[in-house]
């Protein structure tokens, strides 16, 4: 995979394409359809391991089943503490004021949690939700609802963050598109450029802009910063013609709310902050000759990563660290990225081996600049990757080496 240098970042900026999808089940006047950006990548979450962090976060996300005198509409809502749910204002109470729906009376409001298996909603748990909002804002399009009897050991609340959005930040959006089982938008799901901008004219204010694929029913889904594992925004709409989706920054909701609070970091038993997870994001997942692969890696500040590409025939190609843009996300976390707007790019050439490739990085605070130590670590990592362990750690005499990898296909 040769490295290419660009004359200007703008000259090779990736173009976004949007496909028209189903309108949101609660079509509030002025709200656009949900948007699929460069191909629909909203996947059933049950295809991933129960130990995956996003599966664990998703336990607190459920479908909000809204039944009224004109029928029913699904939205998404997530638990923010032991008795409160967060969703969109245009879901509740807005469903009763939209003339296109024609509803005048709410019959029932139910939070359906644990609906993970397609077609098996009957196995999920249902909790009655009080119809009168505890707090709501049409301007910020959020509503807080009261729900009782939720066992938080099974369905834990999601942590809330007031951090600012950063361009290119990898996100996860977990929800119930079209009222289906829980899905996740993960591949290519990230903050747009710019990450914050004016809301669509019919909404007003400012919005978080993202490129995560959604469908109707995703309204009220959490926008999760995959680096911090915290909710950074509340998804609410999209504009098809520009291929961008929108959400309300959680910082704005937190500043306005008298109920919601920022979630402090959870310490380890010894009182120290929890170690930061390694994040690896690739886009696109399939590409041909002449196309470029975007790689984004978020690592602890103490780590200097070593990147490598592994071909289908297990040929290892080191990727020079110098081609990556280095962005300080915080005092303890750094991002290394090669994207469509970077000075350098990773471009597929005719001679590149066709088929599934594995790409990622090894991370240690010491000794990875030593060729012998790196080689020893790579042997163990390649063996682990061969058994499907895409993230983890290996042990050398000099200490622990962590790693994170992803896959893409050269067509």
């Amino acid at each position: 995979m040769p490295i290419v240098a660009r004359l200007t970042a703008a000259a090779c900026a990736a173009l976004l394409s949007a496909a028209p999808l189903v309108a949101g089940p609660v079509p509030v006047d002025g709200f656009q359809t949900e948007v699929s950006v460069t191909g629909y990548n909203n996947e059933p979450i049950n295809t991933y391991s129960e130990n995956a962090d996003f599966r664990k976060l998703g336990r607190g996300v459920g479908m909000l089943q809204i039944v009224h005198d004109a029928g029913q509409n699904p939205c998404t809502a997530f638990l923010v503490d032991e008795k409160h749910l967060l969703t969109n204002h245009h879901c509740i109470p807005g469903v009763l004021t939209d003339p296109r729906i024609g509803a005048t009376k709410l019959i029932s409001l139910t939070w359906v949690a644990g609906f993970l298996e397609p077609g098996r909603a009957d196995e999920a748990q249902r909790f009655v939700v009080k119809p009168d909002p505890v707090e709501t804002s049409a301007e910020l399009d959020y509503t807080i609802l009261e729900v009782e009897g939720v066992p938080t050991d099974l369905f834990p609340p999601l942590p809330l963050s007031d951090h600012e959005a950063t361009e290119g930040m990898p996100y996860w959006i977990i929800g119930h598109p079209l009222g289906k089982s829980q899905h996740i938008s993960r591949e290519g799901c990230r903050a747009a450029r710019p990450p914050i901008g004016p809301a669509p004219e019919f909404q007003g204010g400012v919005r978080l802009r993202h490129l995560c694929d959604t469908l109707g029913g995703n309204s009220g889904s959490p926008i999760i910063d995959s680096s911090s594992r915290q909710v950074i925004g509340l998804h609410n709409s999209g504009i098809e013609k520009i291929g961008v989706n929108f959400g309300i920054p959680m910082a704005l909701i937190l500043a306005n709310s008298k109920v919601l609070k920022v979630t402090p970091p959870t310490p380890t038993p010894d009182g120290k902050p929890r170690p930061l997870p390694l994040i690896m994001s690739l886009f696109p997942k399939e590409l041909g000759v002449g196309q470029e692969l975007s790689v984004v890696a978020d690592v602890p500040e103490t780590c200097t990563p070593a990147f490598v590409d592994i071909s289908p025939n297990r040929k290892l190609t080191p990727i020079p660290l110098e081609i990556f843009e280095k962005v300080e996300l915080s005092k303890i976390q750094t991002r290394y990225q090669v994207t469509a707007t970077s000075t350098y790019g990773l471009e597929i050439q005719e001679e590149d081996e066709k088929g599934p490739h594995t790409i990622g990085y090894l991370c240690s605070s010491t000794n990875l600049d030593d060729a012998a130590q790196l080689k020893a670590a790579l042997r163990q990592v390649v063996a682990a990757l061969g058994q499907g362990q895409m993230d983890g750690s290996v042990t050398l005499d000099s200490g622990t080496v962590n790693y994170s990898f992803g896959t893409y296909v050269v067509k």
Side-chain angles (χ1 to χ4, degrees), residues 18 33 85 89 113 143 160 195 287 300 335 339 346 398 408:
T33 58
L85 298 169
H89 174 92
T143 289
L160 307 180
L287 62 170
R335 167 168 296 165
T339 68
L346 295 172
S398 58
Y408 67 98

Side-chain angles (χ1 to χ4, degrees), residues 267-305:
T268 56
D270 60 6
K272 297 180 180 179
R274 290 191 180 276
L276 289 172
L278 303 185
I279 302 295
M280 182 70 186
S281 179
L282 307 176
F283 186 80
K285 297 296 286 185
E286 293 188 1
L287 62 170
V289 174
Q291 291 183 285
E292 293 184 29
L293 180 69
S294 292
V295 178
V296 179
D298 293 347
V299 304
E301 186 273 334
T302 55
C303 162
T304 300

Side-chain angles (χ1 to χ4, degrees), residues 91-353:
C91 292
I92 289 290
V95 70
L96 297 179
T97 59
D98 191 320
R100 292 170 294 177
I101 295 177
T104 61
K105 179 182 178 181
L106 191 65
I107 296 175
S108 66
L109 193 59
T110 307
W111 190 58
V112 183
F115 178 21
L116 306 181
E117 300 289 335
R120 296 169 69 174
D122 56 322
E123 297 179 2
Q125 295 193 40
R126 288 168 165 76
F127 302 92
V128 175
V129 181
K130 294 183 179 180
D132 295 327
V134 175
E135 183 176 273
T136 191
S137 169
E139 179 183 0
L140 294 178
D141 195 24
Y142 80 88
T143 289
I144 300 171
L145 300 166
E146 185 174 345
V147 60
E148 294 182 351
V150 178
T152 54
D153 57 332
L154 296 177
F155 309 110
L158 275 68
L160 307 180
S161 171
D162 62 355
H163 290 172
E164 294 184 3
T166 304
E167 179 183 331
M169 175 69 72
Y171 290 153
W172 298 328
I173 288 187
I174 300 173
H176 289 269
L178 303 180
K180 297 188 295 184
S181 62
Q182 192 175 96
H183 279 53
I184 181 171
S185 180
R186 181 171 178 256
E187 299 297 341
C189 180
R190 62 195 187 279
R193 179 185 184 190
I196 296 290
E201 182 179 352
F202 49 82
Q203 294 183 41
V206 298
R207 291 291 183 263
L208 184 155
R209 305 169 74 251
H210 68 84
L211 305 178
C212 307
D213 295 329
T214 59
L215 288 173
N218 273 121
S219 289
S221 295
I223 303 172
I224 300 169
D225 176 345
S226 63
S227 296
S228 67
R229 270 50 171 180
Q230 291 184 309
V231 179
I232 197 172
L234 177 67
H235 172 73
N236 78 320
S237 61
I239 295 184
E240 176 188 319
K241 65 182 179 181
I242 63 173
V244 172
N245 272 316
F246 293 90
I248 304 90
M250 191 54 61
L252 293 182
I253 296 176
L254 287 163
N256 185 76
S257 177
K258 296 180 180 179
V259 178
L260 304 179
K261 306 294 181 184
V262 173
T263 306
T266 303
T268 56
D270 60 6
K272 297 180 180 179
R274 290 191 180 276
L276 289 172
L278 303 185
I279 302 295
M280 182 70 186
S281 179
L282 307 176
F283 186 80
K285 297 296 286 185
E286 293 188 1
L287 62 170
V289 174
Q291 291 183 285
E292 293 184 29
L293 180 69
S294 292
V295 178
V296 179
D298 293 347
V299 304
E301 186 273 334
T302 55
C303 162
T304 300
F307 288 88
V308 63
D309 181 86
I310 306 173
S311 76
N313 285 328
R314 306 187 83 176
K315 176 184 177 182
L316 274 63
T317 303
I319 303 174
L321 194 62
E322 291 76 15
I323 74 166
F324 289 85
E325 294 178 316
K326 186 176 178 181
V327 181
E328 184 178 317
L329 299 178
S330 68
K331 292 182 180 179
I332 59 173
Q333 190 172 39
T334 303
R335 167 168 296 165
Y336 290 82
Q337 62 183 17
V338 176
T339 68
T341 59
S342 301
T343 302
Y344 297 95
L346 295 172
E347 183 179 284
I348 302 300
Q349 299 292 299
E350 186 63 45
E351 59 268 24
D352 286 325
E353 189 176 343

Side-chain angles (χ1 to χ4, degrees), residues 314 316 372 374-384:
R314 306 187 83 176
L316 274 63
L374 178 58
K375 188 175 182 179
L378 278 170
R379 285 198 197 97
Q380 294 188 52
V381 169
V382 170

